[in-house]
Amino acid sequence: MTAYQEDDDEDDDLYDDVPDDSDDEQTIPCPSCRRDIFEDSPRCPYCERYISEEDRTRSSYPIWVIATALVSLVSALWWMLGRF
């Protein structure tokens, strides 16, 4: 055994008493980009989307807005076709 190998063995003994911190924070896959993120994160640091439903911003229109737009479109088409 060389002196270098003996030093490596001594260094390994130094780290035996140090606790492993890798299990302190659990990770989960992001629902959007599937990268590992911390479980307690409100947003993904990679795709910047919100993780929980209550923090998520609403990006869709309410149902009454969609229904009004469809009724208006059908009324306009009916009026246009009635003129011919």
Side-chain angles (χ1 to χ4, degrees), residues 58-66:
R58 292 196 61 146
S59 61
S60 63
Y61 295 106
I63 191 77
W64 66 269
V65 172
I66 296 170

Side-chain angles (χ1 to χ4, degrees), residues 15-31:
Y15 295 110
D16 286 342
D17 295 333
V18 177
D20 186 20
D21 290 338
S22 63
D23 293 335
D24 286 348
E25 298 227 20
Q26 298 292 327
T27 59
I28 58 170
C30 171

Side-chain angles (χ1 to χ4, degrees), residues 42-70:
R43 288 179 83 169
C44 175
Y46 302 106
C47 66
E48 297 184 358
R49 293 195 176 163
Y50 286 101
I51 304 304
S52 63
E53 190 65 37
E54 66 237 8
D55 293 336
R56 188 176 303 224
T57 57
R58 292 196 61 146
S59 61
S60 63
Y61 295 106
I63 191 77
W64 66 269
V65 172
I66 296 170
T68 303
L70 287 174

